[in-house]
Amino acid sequence: MLELRDVACVRGGRRLFEKLNLTLRPGQLLRVSGVNGAGKTSLLRMLCGLQAPYEGELLWHGARLDVLRENFNCQLVYVGHAAALKDDLSALENLQTAVRLGGTLADTPAARMALQSAGLRGKEHAPARTLSQGQRRRVALARLELAQSQALWVLDEPFNALDTAATDWLLGLIGRQLGCGGLVVLTSHQPVALADALAQVVVAL
Protein backbone atom coordinates (compact mmCIF):
# COMPACT_ATOMS: atom_id res chain seq x y z
CA MET A 1 0.00 0.00 0.00
CA LEU A 2 1.26 3.47 -0.92
CA GLU A 3 -0.02 6.40 1.10
CA LEU A 4 0.44 10.18 0.89
CA ARG A 5 -0.43 12.31 3.90
CA ASP A 6 -0.74 16.09 3.52
CA VAL A 7 2.04 16.19 0.94
CA ALA A 8 3.16 19.56 -0.42
CA CYS A 9 5.68 20.49 -3.10
CA VAL A 10 7.58 23.77 -3.42
CA ARG A 11 9.89 24.49 -6.33
CA GLY A 12 11.71 27.73 -7.05
CA GLY A 13 9.92 29.34 -4.14
CA ARG A 14 6.52 28.52 -5.65
CA ARG A 15 4.09 26.11 -4.00
CA LEU A 16 2.98 23.70 -6.74
CA PHE A 17 0.55 21.65 -4.69
CA GLU A 18 -0.31 21.03 -1.04
CA LYS A 19 -2.39 18.86 1.29
CA LEU A 20 -2.30 15.96 -1.16
CA ASN A 21 -3.79 12.86 0.47
CA LEU A 22 -4.35 9.52 -1.19
CA THR A 23 -4.06 5.79 -0.65
CA LEU A 24 -3.15 3.37 -3.42
CA ARG A 25 -3.91 -0.27 -2.70
CA PRO A 26 -2.77 -3.46 -4.45
CA GLY A 27 -4.19 -3.70 -7.96
CA GLN A 28 -4.81 0.05 -8.30
CA LEU A 29 -3.56 2.53 -10.89
CA LEU A 30 -2.81 6.16 -10.08
CA ARG A 31 -3.10 8.59 -13.00
CA VAL A 32 -1.53 12.00 -12.41
CA SER A 33 -2.66 14.81 -14.71
CA GLY A 34 -1.91 18.51 -14.95
CA VAL A 35 -0.40 21.18 -17.17
CA ASN A 36 3.34 21.54 -17.66
CA GLY A 37 4.91 22.88 -14.48
CA ALA A 38 2.10 21.66 -12.23
CA GLY A 39 4.44 19.33 -10.37
CA LYS A 40 3.71 15.94 -11.97
CA THR A 41 7.34 14.89 -12.32
CA SER A 42 8.15 16.26 -8.85
CA LEU A 43 5.38 14.09 -7.42
CA LEU A 44 6.74 11.03 -9.20
CA ARG A 45 10.20 11.76 -7.84
CA MET A 46 8.72 11.90 -4.34
CA LEU A 47 6.99 8.58 -4.88
CA CYS A 48 10.36 7.08 -5.84
CA GLY A 49 12.10 8.51 -2.79
CA LEU A 50 14.27 10.76 -4.98
CA GLN A 51 12.84 14.00 -3.61
CA ALA A 52 11.57 14.82 -0.14
CA PRO A 53 8.17 16.48 0.19
CA TYR A 54 8.17 20.07 1.41
CA GLU A 55 5.48 19.06 3.88
CA GLY A 56 3.78 15.79 4.77
CA GLU A 57 4.99 12.21 4.40
CA LEU A 58 4.88 9.25 2.05
CA LEU A 59 4.37 5.74 3.39
CA TRP A 60 4.95 2.29 1.88
CA HIS A 61 3.06 -0.41 3.78
CA GLY A 62 2.84 1.95 6.73
CA ALA A 63 6.54 2.88 6.91
CA ARG A 64 8.08 6.14 5.71
CA LEU A 65 9.94 5.97 2.40
CA ASP A 66 12.96 7.81 3.75
CA VAL A 67 13.35 5.09 6.38
CA LEU A 68 12.88 2.10 4.06
CA ARG A 69 15.44 3.20 1.45
CA GLU A 70 17.04 0.09 -0.09
CA ASN A 71 14.18 -2.24 0.83
CA PHE A 72 11.74 0.02 -0.99
CA ASN A 73 14.02 0.45 -4.00
CA CYS A 74 14.04 -3.30 -4.55
CA GLN A 75 10.26 -3.18 -5.04
CA LEU A 76 10.30 -0.16 -7.38
CA VAL A 77 10.66 0.29 -11.13
CA TYR A 78 10.92 3.87 -12.39
CA VAL A 79 10.86 4.75 -16.08
CA GLY A 80 11.38 8.46 -16.68
CA HIS A 81 10.12 10.57 -19.57
CA ALA A 82 13.51 10.24 -21.30
CA ALA A 83 14.65 6.85 -22.59
CA ALA A 84 18.05 7.31 -20.87
CA LEU A 85 19.94 4.92 -23.16
CA LYS A 86 23.68 4.77 -23.80
CA ASP A 87 24.07 5.42 -27.53
CA ASP A 88 27.06 3.12 -27.96
CA LEU A 89 25.38 0.16 -26.27
CA SER A 90 23.00 -2.13 -28.10
CA ALA A 91 19.30 -2.34 -27.25
CA LEU A 92 20.00 -5.62 -25.46
CA GLU A 93 22.94 -4.22 -23.49
CA ASN A 94 20.94 -1.13 -22.49
CA LEU A 95 18.07 -3.26 -21.22
CA GLN A 96 20.31 -5.59 -19.23
CA THR A 97 22.17 -2.61 -17.75
CA ALA A 98 18.92 -0.93 -16.67
CA VAL A 99 17.69 -4.13 -15.02
CA ARG A 100 21.01 -4.62 -13.25
CA LEU A 101 21.01 -1.03 -11.96
CA GLY A 102 17.52 -1.69 -10.63
CA GLY A 103 18.91 -4.43 -8.44
CA THR A 104 17.90 -7.53 -10.40
CA LEU A 105 19.38 -9.64 -13.17
CA ALA A 106 18.10 -10.57 -16.62
CA ASP A 107 19.77 -13.35 -18.58
CA THR A 108 20.25 -12.81 -22.29
CA PRO A 109 17.36 -15.03 -23.46
CA ALA A 110 14.90 -13.29 -21.13
CA ALA A 111 16.10 -9.82 -22.14
CA ARG A 112 15.95 -10.73 -25.83
CA MET A 113 12.39 -12.02 -25.41
CA ALA A 114 11.39 -8.81 -23.63
CA LEU A 115 12.67 -6.73 -26.56
CA GLN A 116 10.84 -8.93 -29.02
CA SER A 117 7.61 -8.52 -27.04
CA ALA A 118 8.18 -4.76 -27.30
CA GLY A 119 8.23 -5.05 -31.10
CA LEU A 120 12.00 -4.87 -31.48
CA ARG A 121 12.71 -8.23 -33.07
CA GLY A 122 15.85 -7.88 -35.18
CA LYS A 123 16.94 -4.75 -33.29
CA GLU A 124 18.38 -6.48 -30.24
CA HIS A 125 21.99 -5.82 -31.24
CA ALA A 126 21.47 -2.46 -32.93
CA PRO A 127 23.31 0.44 -31.25
CA ALA A 128 20.87 2.72 -29.48
CA ARG A 129 22.01 5.70 -31.57
CA THR A 130 20.52 4.04 -34.69
CA LEU A 131 17.07 3.59 -33.17
CA SER A 132 14.11 5.90 -33.73
CA GLN A 133 12.58 7.80 -30.81
CA GLY A 134 9.75 5.28 -30.57
CA GLN A 135 12.15 2.33 -30.63
CA ARG A 136 14.31 3.90 -27.93
CA ARG A 137 11.19 4.35 -25.82
CA ARG A 138 10.29 0.69 -26.25
CA VAL A 139 13.78 -0.39 -25.15
CA ALA A 140 13.30 1.54 -21.91
CA LEU A 141 9.81 0.15 -21.37
CA ALA A 142 10.88 -3.43 -22.15
CA ARG A 143 12.22 -3.45 -18.61
CA LEU A 144 8.62 -3.85 -17.45
CA GLU A 145 8.50 -7.27 -19.10
CA LEU A 146 11.15 -8.31 -16.58
CA ALA A 147 9.66 -6.55 -13.55
CA GLN A 148 6.76 -8.81 -12.59
CA SER A 149 8.23 -9.37 -9.12
CA GLN A 150 8.46 -5.64 -8.35
CA ALA A 151 5.33 -4.27 -6.75
CA LEU A 152 5.42 -0.59 -7.77
CA TRP A 153 5.85 0.83 -11.26
CA VAL A 154 6.25 4.60 -11.62
CA LEU A 155 6.06 5.73 -15.25
CA ASP A 156 6.55 9.31 -16.43
CA GLU A 157 4.80 9.91 -19.78
CA PRO A 158 5.23 6.25 -20.82
CA PHE A 159 3.05 6.54 -23.94
CA ASN A 160 5.13 9.30 -25.58
CA ALA A 161 6.40 8.36 -29.06
CA LEU A 162 4.59 5.00 -29.07
CA ASP A 163 2.59 3.84 -32.07
CA THR A 164 -0.73 2.01 -31.75
CA ALA A 165 0.82 -1.46 -31.51
CA ALA A 166 3.31 -0.38 -28.83
CA THR A 167 0.58 1.43 -26.90
CA ASP A 168 -1.53 -1.75 -26.86
CA TRP A 169 1.50 -3.72 -25.69
CA LEU A 170 2.13 -1.31 -22.82
CA LEU A 171 -1.53 -1.29 -21.82
CA GLY A 172 -1.37 -5.07 -21.66
CA LEU A 173 1.67 -4.94 -19.36
CA ILE A 174 -0.06 -2.44 -17.07
CA GLY A 175 -3.18 -4.60 -16.94
CA ARG A 176 -1.10 -7.65 -16.07
CA GLN A 177 0.75 -5.81 -13.31
CA LEU A 178 -2.50 -4.63 -11.73
CA GLY A 179 -4.09 -8.04 -12.13
CA CYS A 180 -1.24 -9.54 -10.09
CA GLY A 181 -1.84 -7.08 -7.26
CA GLY A 182 0.88 -4.62 -8.25
CA LEU A 183 0.58 -0.82 -8.25
CA VAL A 184 1.15 1.50 -11.20
CA VAL A 185 1.59 5.28 -11.12
CA LEU A 186 1.72 7.16 -14.42
CA THR A 187 1.45 10.56 -16.01
CA SER A 188 0.18 11.11 -19.54
CA HIS A 189 -0.45 14.24 -21.59
CA GLN A 190 -2.58 12.34 -24.08
CA PRO A 191 -5.84 10.49 -23.36
CA VAL A 192 -5.18 6.76 -23.07
CA ALA A 193 -7.95 4.18 -23.24
CA LEU A 194 -7.29 2.22 -20.07
CA ALA A 195 -9.90 -0.45 -19.46
CA ASP A 196 -12.79 0.70 -17.28
CA ALA A 197 -12.43 -2.53 -15.31
CA LEU A 198 -9.06 -1.38 -13.93
CA ALA A 199 -9.23 0.21 -10.48
CA GLN A 200 -8.06 3.78 -11.01
CA VAL A 201 -7.35 6.80 -8.85
CA VAL A 202 -6.98 10.16 -10.62
CA VAL A 203 -5.10 13.14 -9.21
CA ALA A 204 -5.25 16.49 -11.05
CA LEU A 205 -2.50 18.91 -10.04
Side-chain angles (χ1 to χ4, degrees):
M1 185 172 69
L2 183 65
E3 186 177 0
L4 281 68
R5 295 180 179 173
D6 292 326
V7 170
C9 175
V10 172
R11 189 174 64 201
R14 185 167 66 94
R15 187 174 290 257
L16 300 182
F17 57 83
E18 61 184 354
K19 297 189 182 302
L20 181 57
N21 292 278
L22 65 88
T23 299
L24 197 64
R25 294 182 170 83
Q28 285 190 317
L29 166 75
L30 172 62
R31 300 181 68 168
V32 182
S33 64
V35 299
N36 288 339
K40 299 189 299 297
T41 296
S42 293
L43 176 57
L44 296 197
R45 288 179 56 82
M46 290 182 192
L47 294 175
C48 294
L50 299 174
Q51 177 178 331
Y54 183 75
E55 295 171 352
E57 58 183 3
L58 294 88
L59 308 174
W60 177 251
H61 294 295
R64 287 177 46 166
L65 292 191
D66 57 351
V67 174
L68 291 173
R69 297 179 184 274
E70 189 171 334
N71 180 273
F72 173 71
N73 290 339
C74 290
Q75 303 178 65
L76 168 72
V77 173
Y78 172 65
V79 179
H81 67 274
L85 305 183
K86 295 290 187 181
D87 283 345
D88 291 334
L89 296 183
S90 69
L92 182 63
E93 290 167 335
N94 268 292
L95 175 56
Q96 290 182 296
T97 298
V99 172
R100 192 177 304 115
L101 290 174
T104 58
L105 295 176
D107 59 36
T108 298
R112 184 180 291 114
M113 186 173 297
L115 290 171
Q116 292 173 358
S117 296
L120 294 168
R121 183 182 297 274
K123 297 290 186 179
E124 298 92 339
H125 298 289
R129 65 176 177 273
T130 68
L131 301 178
S132 68
Q133 184 179 1
Q135 289 170 335
R136 292 171 65 91
R137 192 65 178 152
R138 280 181 276 164
V139 172
L141 291 166
R143 184 179 171 194
L144 302 178
E145 288 277 4
L146 306 169
Q148 297 178 44
S149 63
Q150 290 161 292
L152 176 62
W153 294 358
V154 178
L155 314 175
D156 195 0
E157 298 293 342
F159 297 98
N160 278 4
L162 296 186
D163 58 19
T164 300
T167 295
D168 290 343
W169 162 73
L170 178 55
L171 289 173
L173 287 180
I174 290 172
R176 186 179 68 188
Q177 168 76 348
L178 298 176
C180 293
L183 291 78
V184 178
V185 179
L186 65 82
T187 63
S188 181
H189 283 301
Q190 66 239 56
V192 180
L194 290 163
D196 293 336
L198 298 178
Q200 301 177 42
V201 177
V202 179
V203 170
L205 298 179

